[in-house]
């Protein structure tokens, strides 16, 4: 189904049925809310009707019925300008979240999270069941007050707290199963043999004789069945809140366990939480938050070449005549490949050993890649905050607070010396890393409010002291006995390498804000942050980041106050600056390198390069309109913005002898438009229907790069060149390579465009930009229906106009070696005069980075649908019981030929988007859940 047709269908269904339903609905049942809603803006709040900035608030009921393991999943499709990409389907995998696009390349590009006042860039382990709502600060006029990470946006997370005289015990659980979303079809054994014969006939190696070797006779391995399984999800949460007028508490315990569809991938999370609020005297209040999170993630290797342990690609490219274990071949007496001269069995064919690859010794099979390594990460985390609220004078409040984030993480890796070829060759090897992270944050704020007549004034001033300490103890060892299955540094008999590193980062900030509203019509807000960071060079450590914004609530003017159609009309505008230095190491301006072989006597000469690295600075301009009709039943919000980041931080490549140094090297911009439409389509005693539709348009462009005008990223092993190019005038992460113009009908060879017309195809003259991974627009579409005690919630997400570089096809369609291939190669050229876009088997020049592998990554996805029923007082002691079923990732409309278009294999490479390279597939999940209130 065409993407545009799918979008048209959504638009027709929504804009016809919803507005017809509104006209027919009983408008007398609608009542305006009399309580002014407030939104958080950092260190305080404002009335939503007086907000001057681009702010979005997401309530927990939008996502509480979806089976999510990461809080950022809750933002998918629910907020305009917030693009969340689930990089893969691997359990526990971090999601890629961008607010109004990437505004940096090498510095931090993830938003700042503020969890109950605790500032962090990592919310892994935070239990989604504890969340009340999330407020997203999208522009500099609101985010500037948070300083160092404000340029990437801010997500303020509020968790549940106790209520006076309302003890409440809740229990939530769900169970689910997961399946692979899509399959990529590969050749069966007969088709594979035909391909091997063609490769041989065209001058390639004779692989067919190996396929027909008697030791493999009768073996037919379905690698997909060997590798993929049914995933299992389980989640349990219990919380209890209680309190009186002076002291309130919320306590919670949670557990989540996910078995992935590819063994041994698994994610476990245990969490415990206590929120405490206490009124000590009339002038003193205390609030505290204590969180403990324990996670364990077992890894399955993906985003790798099949020959380098990539399980996903190996499951597709491993020929089916090969077995998983060496003792599964046909043993032929006297076979010199299998038996030693004394009649003993050679390594590779003993019980429990993975079968050797008959074509190449280094590459075994996907079952080996699944189980040859023990690899996991175990994390203990304590996240705490203690705050005081001291009423010094009337309307003058002093709020000191201290937060502490402690993470103790252990990474374990081991490849034994018995089961795998690589393990035997290297005599077994492993590594154990212990990372300890301590983040201390001390804040003091003074708040003053004055309301008299038509005047409403709020003043805030404060300072922050922030210190981050990291410590790494790493042990690498080699040479282990055959029976050792876990890494033990003391048991290593070969190379042993300990590594120790400690780092300290210090920051000091002063900040302030003033908000003035006159007559509930005109609001002006000014903010500033004066931020210093020890990571930056002397003379450049400090940055000043101001912001100013204003709004005009036109609907409160006399000429609109009593209008029966327009219930809200407000315009907003703002300008501000934010700073960013969060993605660089603490000692970035001190760089020491050693140049070897400097003299004939073997001495070394040391060079010290000092970097004058300073702040990245983002300048943000935003203009917005808030419009509501028919007593707020129809609400439309539109925002127009432009963000320019100057002094981009990037590494300058100085050669292998010197290395890289970080410098401020250029600028880039994002500009776009966001629309959010909320409608109450039907509202009466029995049936209600609410809809949210949001759509975001964003364009990125690199304005300048100095010192290094071209930066290429993402090589594919054995291919040459790189996929991504950063340079002036191009969008972020643009794909760069050759343009394929077809397959020569006479000889079956690929033809590339000769762009410079010199009669030759060369790297220097004939490569160009071949794709853009940035979408033209993204959108989310939610519908919430209730009928008596039944409810139905749906979420549709989409991305349109983005390209994907399907690097997996390098292994699935090149036809230049023994690997199994995609069924696409059945259309390969075989006869002179044949018209096809698939070259002949064994052809040369097929492995160039080209637009042959660039695909349209647009999609519309039925992300989630939930059907549930609420029982009121079903049993004695149970006030409410909710039973529901949820399907997630159910259906995708796309032209992309890979597993799933929602993918980013190189999310860890700065600024890189939209590449698929043997990525762990997305999963389709079916869940049954139960919630009980006691």
């Amino acid at each position: 189904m065409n993407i545009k047709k799918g979008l048209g269908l959504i638009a027709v269904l929504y804009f016809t049925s919803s507005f017809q339903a509104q006209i027919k609905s009983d408008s007398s049942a609608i009542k305006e809310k009399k309580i002014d809603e407030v939104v958080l803006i950092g260190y305080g709040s404002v009335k939503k009707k007086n907000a001057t900035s681009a702010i979005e608030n997401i309530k927990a009921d939008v996502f509480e019925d979806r089976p999510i393991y990461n809080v950022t999943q809750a933002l998918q499709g629910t907020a305009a300008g917030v693009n969340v990409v689930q990089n893969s389907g691997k359990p526990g995998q971090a999601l890629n979240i961008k607010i109004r696009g990437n505004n940096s390349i090498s510095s931090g590009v993830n938003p700042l999270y503020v969890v109950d006042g605790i500032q962090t860039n990592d919310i892994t382990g935070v239990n989604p069941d504890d969340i009340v709502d999330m407020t997203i600060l999208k522009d500099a006029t609101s985010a500037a007050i948070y300083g160092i990470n404000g340029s990437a946006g801010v997500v303020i997370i509020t968790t549940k707290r106790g209520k006076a005289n309302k003890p409440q015990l809740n229990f939530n659980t769900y169970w689910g199963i997961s399946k692979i979303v899509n399959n990529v079809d590969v050749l069966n054994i007969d088709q594979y043999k035909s391909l091997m014969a063609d490769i041989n006939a065209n001058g390639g190696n004779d692989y067919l004789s190996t396929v027909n070797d008697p030791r493999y006779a009768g073996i037919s391995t379905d690698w997909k069945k060997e590798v993929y399984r049914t995933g299992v999800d389980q989640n349990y949460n219990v919380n209890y809140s209680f309190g009186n007028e002076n002291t309130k508490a919320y306590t919670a315990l949670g557990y989540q366990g996910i078995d992935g569809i590819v063994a041994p991938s698994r994610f476990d999370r245990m969490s415990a939480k206590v929120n405490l609020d206490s009124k000590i005297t009339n002038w003193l209040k205390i609030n505290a938050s204590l969180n403990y999170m324990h996670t364990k993630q077992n890894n399955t290797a993906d985003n790798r070449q099949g020959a380098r342990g990539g399980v996903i690609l190996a499951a597709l490219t491993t020929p089916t005549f090969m077995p998983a274990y060496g003792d599964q071949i046909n043993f032929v007496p006297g076979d010199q490949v299998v038996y030693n001269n004394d009649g003993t069995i050679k390594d590779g064919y003993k019980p429990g050993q993975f079968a050797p690859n008959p074509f190449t010794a280094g590459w075994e099979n996907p079952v080996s890649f699944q189980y040859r390594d023990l690899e996991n990460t175990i994390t203990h985390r304590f996240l705490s905050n203690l705050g005081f609220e001291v009423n010094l004078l009337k309307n003058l409040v002093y709020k000191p607070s201290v937060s502490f984030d402690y993470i103790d993480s252990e990474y374990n890796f081991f490849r034994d010396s018995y089961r795998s070829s690589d393990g035997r060759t290297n005599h077994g090897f492993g590594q154990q890393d212990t990372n300890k992270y301590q983040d201390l944050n001390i804040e003091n704020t003074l708040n003053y409010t004055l309301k008299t007549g038509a005047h409403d004034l709020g003043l805030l001033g404060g300072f922050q002291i922030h210190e981050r300490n990291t410590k790494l103890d790493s042990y690498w060892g080699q040479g282990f006995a055959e029976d050792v299955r876990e890494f033990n540094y003391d048991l290593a008999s070969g190379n042993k390498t300990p590594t120790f590193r400690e780092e300290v980062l210090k920051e000091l900030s002063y900040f302030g804000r003033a908000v003035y509203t006159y007559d509930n019509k005109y609001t002006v807000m000014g903010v500033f942050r004066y931020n210093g960071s020890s990571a930056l060079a002397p003379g450049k450590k400090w940055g000043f980041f101001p912001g100013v914004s204003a709004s005009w609530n036109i609907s409160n003017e006399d000429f609109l106050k009593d209008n029966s159609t327009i219930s809200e009309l407000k315009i907003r505008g703002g300008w501000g600056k934010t700073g960013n230095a969060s993605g660089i190491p603490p000692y970035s301006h001190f760089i020491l390198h050693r140049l070897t072989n400097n003299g004939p006597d073997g001495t070394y000469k040391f060079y010290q390069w000092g970097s004058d690295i300073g702040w990245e600075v983002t300048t943000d301009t935003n203009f917005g309109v808030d419009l509501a009709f028919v007593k707020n039943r129809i609400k439309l919000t539109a925002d127009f913005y432009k963000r320019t980041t100057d002094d981009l931080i990037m590494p300058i490549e100085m050669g292998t002898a010197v290395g890289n140094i970080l410098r401020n090297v250029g600028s880039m911009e994002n500009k776009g438009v966001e629309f959010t439409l909320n409608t109450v389509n039907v509202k009466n005693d029995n049936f209600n229907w609410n809809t949210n539709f949001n759509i975001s348009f964003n364009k990125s462009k690199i304005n300048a790069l100095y010192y290094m005008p071209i930066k290429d990223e993402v090589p594919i092993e054995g291919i040459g060149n790189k996929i991504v190019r950063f340079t002036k005038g191009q969008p972020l992460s643009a794909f760069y390579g050759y343009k394929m113009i077809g397959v020569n009908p006479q000889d079956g060879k690929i033809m590339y465009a000769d762009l410079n017309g010199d009669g030759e195809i060369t790297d220097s003259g004939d490569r160009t930009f071949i794709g853009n991974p940035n979408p033209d627009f993204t959108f989310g579409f939610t519908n919430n229906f209730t009928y008596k005690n039944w409810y139905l919630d749906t979420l549709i997400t989409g991305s349109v106009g983005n390209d994907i570089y399907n690097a997996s096809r390098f292994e699935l369609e090149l036809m230049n070696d023994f690997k199994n291939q995609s069924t696409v190669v059945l259309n390969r050229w075989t006869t002179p005069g044949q018209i096809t876009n698939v070259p002949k088997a064994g052809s040369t020049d097929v492995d160039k980075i080209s637009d042959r592998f660039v695909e349209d990554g647009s999609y519309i996805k039925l992300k989630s649908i939930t059907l549930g029923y609420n029982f009121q007082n079903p049993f004695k002691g149970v006030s409410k019981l909710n039973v529901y079923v949820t399907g997630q990732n159910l259906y995708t409309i796309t032209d992309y030929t890979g597993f799933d278009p929602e993918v980013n294999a190189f999310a860890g490479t700065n600024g890189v988007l939209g590449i698929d390279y043997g990525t762990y597939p997305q999963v389709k999940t079916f869940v049954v859940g139960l919630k009980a209130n006691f």
Side-chain angles (χ1 to χ4, degrees):
M1 184 177 180
N2 185 276
I3 296 293
K4 292 183 178 179
K5 289 182 179 179
L7 286 171
L9 179 60
I10 290 175
V12 169
L13 289 174
Y14 179 35
F15 288 105
T16 58
S17 58
S18 67
F19 286 102
Q20 287 179 2
Q22 287 186 53
I23 293 172
K24 295 178 182 178
S25 177
D26 181 10
S27 61
S28 64
I30 309 298
K31 296 181 179 179
E32 278 192 281
K33 292 183 178 179
K34 298 300 181 182
I35 301 176
D36 288 329
E37 185 178 355
V38 298
V39 291
L40 299 175
I41 55 171
Y43 304 102
S45 61
V46 297
K47 295 178 182 178
K48 188 173 183 179
K49 65 182 182 181
N50 294 331
T52 60
S53 306
I55 301 173
E56 191 128 14
N57 183 258
I58 308 298
K59 303 294 184 184
D61 55 10
V62 172
F63 56 83
E64 62 184 357
D65 293 329
R66 291 165 52 198
I68 59 177
Y69 65 85
N70 189 302
V71 172
T72 52
Q73 280 183 292
L75 297 174
Q76 278 192 303
T78 58
V82 182
N83 188 26
V84 181
V85 175
Q86 190 168 342
N87 302 316
S88 80
K90 186 185 297 185
Q93 183 76 23
L95 278 74
N96 193 11
I97 176 171
K98 297 294 178 289
I99 298 176
R100 294 184 166 180
N102 271 17
N103 65 312
S104 182
I105 296 178
S106 297
S107 193
V109 294
N110 293 320
L112 172 70
Y113 298 96
V114 183
V115 185
D116 294 328
I118 306 170
Q119 299 179 26
T120 179
N121 290 110
D122 181 11
I123 54 173
T124 303
V126 175
N127 191 343
D129 192 63
D130 293 330
I131 294 176
V132 173
D133 64 12
M134 293 185 284
T135 301
I136 306 163
L137 311 182
K138 296 189 285 188
D139 67 351
T141 59
S142 56
I145 199 166
Y146 280 110
I148 191 166
N149 268 351
S151 60
V154 180
V155 180
I156 303 175
I157 299 175
T158 304
T159 64
K160 298 173 183 176
R161 309 193 81 86
K163 297 180 180 180
N165 303 317
K166 291 184 178 180
Q168 181 74 60
L169 176 64
N170 302 310
F171 173 72
N172 303 335
T173 184
Y174 67 74
W175 309 268
I177 59 172
S178 299
K179 292 285 190 179
I180 188 172
V181 168
N182 187 22
N183 274 317
V184 177
D185 294 325
V186 295
L187 303 178
N188 62 35
I189 188 61
D190 293 330
Q191 294 167 336
Y192 174 76
K193 288 181 178 180
S194 175
L195 174 63
M196 296 300 105
D198 282 355
I199 290 175
N200 186 30
N202 292 329
N205 293 327
D206 178 17
Y207 298 115
L208 196 57
S209 59
T210 302
V211 180
N212 293 323
D213 192 301
R215 69 171 66 93
Y216 301 109
I219 296 175
S220 179
T221 306
D222 187 335
W223 293 112
K224 291 180 182 178
K225 288 185 178 179
E226 293 288 335
V227 168
Y228 294 109
R229 64 184 181 183
T230 299
V232 178
D233 296 10
Q234 53 181 323
N235 187 287
Y236 308 92
N237 295 287
V238 60
N239 61 71
Y240 180 62
S241 58
F242 58 94
N244 53 38
E245 295 298 331
N246 292 323
T247 302
K248 311 174 198 58
Y250 171 85
T251 60
L253 293 172
Y255 169 76
Q256 183 167 48
I258 306 175
D259 280 312
I261 59 170
V262 180
S265 61
R266 180 177 172 84
F267 177 75
D268 291 273
R269 180 189 66 221
M270 291 181 288
S271 62
K273 182 178 185 65
V274 176
N275 282 343
L276 181 66
D277 300 283
S278 183
K279 181 179 179 181
I280 306 301
T281 68
N282 289 332
W283 54 269
L284 177 62
K285 296 179 182 177
I286 298 176
N287 58 79
S289 180
L290 178 63
N291 304 266
Y292 168 71
M293 294 160 276
H294 173 272
T295 60
K296 180 179 181 181
Q297 184 171 9
N298 294 334
N299 188 45
T300 295
D302 67 337
N303 297 328
R304 297 183 190 173
Q305 186 186 58
R308 290 291 178 264
V311 176
I312 308 305
L313 275 175
L316 297 170
T317 59
T318 304
T320 60
F321 73 89
M322 290 172 51
Y325 293 92
D327 60 1
Q328 293 175 332
I329 67 163
N330 300 310
F331 284 80
V332 179
D335 186 345
Q336 294 183 351
V337 173
V338 176
Y339 294 99
N340 295 306
N341 292 333
D342 60 0
T344 58
I345 298 175
K346 291 183 178 181
D347 275 328
Y349 302 95
K350 297 175 183 178
Q353 293 182 331
F354 302 111
N357 188 311
F359 300 115
T360 178
W363 178 39
E364 288 174 329
N365 61 71
V367 174
S368 169
F369 298 151
Q370 282 181 276
Y371 297 110
R372 70 181 183 181
D373 297 335
L374 168 70
E375 185 177 9
N376 60 53
T377 302
I378 301 171
T379 302
H380 300 271
R381 185 180 189 186
F382 295 89
L383 192 64
S384 58
N385 182 62
L386 177 64
F388 299 87
E389 185 174 321
V390 184
N391 292 305
L392 299 177
L393 299 170
K394 183 180 180 181
N395 301 331
L396 182 63
V397 180
Y398 170 52
K399 293 183 178 181
S401 69
V402 57
S403 62
F404 185 66
D405 188 1
Y406 175 78
I407 300 175
D408 188 340
S409 179
E410 181 178 285
Y411 169 78
N412 296 283
F413 172 85
F414 186 69
R415 186 173 299 170
D416 67 71
S417 63
Y418 176 76
R419 294 182 298 169
S420 68
S421 171
D422 187 65
R424 293 189 295 272
T425 300
N426 292 284
H427 309 293
F429 56 94
Q431 180 176 342
Q432 184 178 78
D433 296 343
T434 300
N435 285 278
K436 294 186 178 181
Y437 172 95
Q438 299 180 40
D439 193 305
L440 178 65
N441 193 35
I442 299 173
E443 294 179 326
N444 288 268
T445 64
L446 200 60
N447 295 266
Y448 176 75
T449 58
L450 176 64
K451 184 172 178 60
T452 173
H455 305 280
D456 194 342
L457 175 66
L459 300 176
L460 167 74
F463 69 90
Q464 178 185 26
I465 300 172
H466 178 211
E467 181 173 307
R468 185 178 71 208
N469 294 268
T470 58
K471 180 180 179 181
L472 169 67
D473 293 343
S474 178
Y475 299 89
W476 188 90
Q478 186 178 15
F480 291 88
E482 287 187 345
D483 60 344
V484 177
R485 292 293 182 269
E486 293 184 358
F487 179 77
N488 186 324
Y489 185 72
D490 294 332
L491 297 180
S493 60
N495 295 329
K496 300 172 72 172
T497 306
T499 302
F500 308 97
R501 186 175 70 241
E502 290 190 43
E503 297 176 342
V504 178
L505 174 69
K506 296 182 179 182
E507 297 169 5
L508 179 63
S509 305
Y510 303 93
F511 54 88
R513 178 176 60 229
V515 184
Y516 172 70
T517 299
Y518 175 72
D519 201 22
N520 280 325
K521 300 175 185 177
Y522 318 106
T523 300
V524 178
M525 180 173 74
V527 300
F528 78 89
R529 181 98 174 193
Y530 189 52
N531 216 135
S533 172
S534 65
L536 303 178
K540 295 191 175 182
K541 294 183 181 297
W542 288 91
F544 181 72
F545 309 109
V548 61
S549 58
S551 68
W552 178 22
N553 199 333
I554 304 173
S555 53
N556 281 350
E557 297 288 356
D558 292 339
F559 58 86
L560 272 182
K561 183 177 295 185
D562 297 321
N563 189 286
S564 59
T565 302
I566 299 177
S567 47
E568 181 182 9
L569 175 58
K570 182 176 70 175
I571 58 174
R572 299 173 278 106
W575 171 93
K577 288 180 177 287
T578 52
N580 191 0
S582 60
I584 64 175
Y587 309 115
S588 296
H589 61 286
F590 291 118
I591 302 169
L592 187 66
H593 295 281
R594 183 174 69 177
L595 184 64
T596 60
N597 300 324
N598 189 65
D601 57 351
T603 58
Y604 298 117
K605 184 175 181 180
F606 289 86
Y607 290 91
Q608 180 169 324
W609 296 76
S611 173
D612 63 347
I613 186 171
W615 289 93
E616 281 188 354
V617 179
T618 297
T619 303
D620 190 326
T621 303
N622 187 90
F623 177 77
V625 178
D626 300 321
L627 187 60
F629 302 94
V630 195
K631 297 184 179 180
N632 291 331
R633 290 192 59 183
I634 304 171
K635 292 184 177 181
L636 174 65
T637 298
D639 278 280
F640 308 83
Y641 64 88
K642 181 178 180 180
R643 307 169 73 191
T644 302
T645 302
D646 295 309
D647 295 324
L648 281 172
I649 297 173
M650 288 178 63
I652 304 299
E653 299 173 2
M654 304 296 291
T656 56
V658 177
N660 300 336
I661 63 172
L662 288 171
R663 296 292 296 269
N664 299 98
V665 301
S667 68
M668 65 174 294
E669 70 176 35
N670 284 275
K671 57 184 178 182
V673 184
E674 303 164 355
F675 298 99
T676 300
L677 180 63
N678 291 285
T679 59
V680 180
N681 306 315
V682 180
K683 184 175 180 67
N684 57 45
D685 292 338
N686 291 324
F687 180 64
N688 296 280
W689 174 19
N690 300 322
T691 296
N692 171 278
F693 178 76
N694 63 80
I695 188 167
S696 307
F697 301 82
N698 183 79
K699 286 189 177 296
S700 70
K701 185 177 71 172
I702 298 175
N703 291 330
L705 288 180
Y706 313 119
Y707 307 112
M708 186 178 59
I710 293 175
K711 180 176 176 58
D712 291 339
E713 292 282 3
V714 189
I716 300 298
E717 186 174 355
I719 301 302
N721 295 324
K722 296 181 180 181
I723 297 174
V724 171
R725 171 159 290 188
F726 298 93
T727 193
K728 179 181 177 180
Q730 293 297 322
L732 192 72
S733 193
F735 303 145
Y736 192 76
Y738 293 94
K739 294 187 73 68
M740 176 184 170
I741 58 176
V743 172
N744 190 321
Q746 301 308 313
D747 59 15
K749 294 183 178 180
I750 284 184
M751 299 182 294
Y752 297 102
D754 182 10
L755 298 181
N756 64 359
D758 64 356
E760 297 181 357
I761 303 300
T762 61
D763 285 354
S764 60
D766 299 309
R767 288 189 298 160
T768 186
F769 290 94
I770 55 176
N772 181 1
N774 299 277
D776 294 333
F777 63 90
T778 58
F779 67 90
F781 183 52
T782 62
N783 282 278
N784 309 111
F785 305 89
T786 60
Y787 176 70
K788 295 185 178 179
N789 290 338
W790 291 93
Y791 66 91
L792 176 69
D793 297 334
T794 64
L795 169 63
I796 296 173
T797 61
S799 178
V800 176
N802 57 296
D803 294 320
I804 295 176
Y805 199 92
N806 191 348
S808 298
R809 290 171 53 194
F810 273 108
E811 298 204 30
L812 290 168
E813 296 182 23
L814 294 188
M815 299 178 291
N816 58 358
D817 60 15
F818 59 84
K819 292 193 287 290
N820 201 3
Q821 301 285 273
S822 160
T823 53
V824 169
V825 305
L826 294 175
N827 298 320
R828 66 186 178 274
W829 183 95
T830 56
T831 308
Q834 181 180 349
I835 304 300
T836 180
N837 62 352
V838 183
K840 69 178 181 180
S843 179
T844 58
D845 275 351
V846 293
D847 58 354
K848 292 183 181 295
I849 303 292
S850 74
D851 61 354
R852 177 187 176 191
F853 303 118
V854 176
E855 300 186 37
D856 182 6
S858 303
Y859 67 86
I860 301 174
K861 182 175 291 190
L862 179 55
K863 194 68 176 179
S864 177
I865 182 168
T866 298
L867 176 65
Y869 188 87
N870 289 310
F871 297 90
Q872 302 295 331
N873 301 308
F875 310 108
K876 184 177 181 180
V878 179
S879 60
K880 183 179 178 181
L881 181 66
N882 170 224
V883 179
Y884 65 92
V885 292
T886 294
Q888 190 169 17
N889 234 22
L890 293 179
Y891 185 69
T892 303
I893 301 172
T894 185
D895 293 328
Y896 182 61
T897 63
F899 284 116
D900 196 284
E902 189 181 347
V903 65
N904 189 10
F906 294 91
T909 303
N910 292 327
V912 172
L913 307 169
I915 298 177
D916 190 355
Y917 189 47
T919 304
Y920 194 110
Q922 300 279 4
V923 295
K924 183 183 298 182
T925 304
F926 299 93
V927 165
V928 176
L930 179 147
K931 298 182 178 183
N933 300 338
F934 300 92

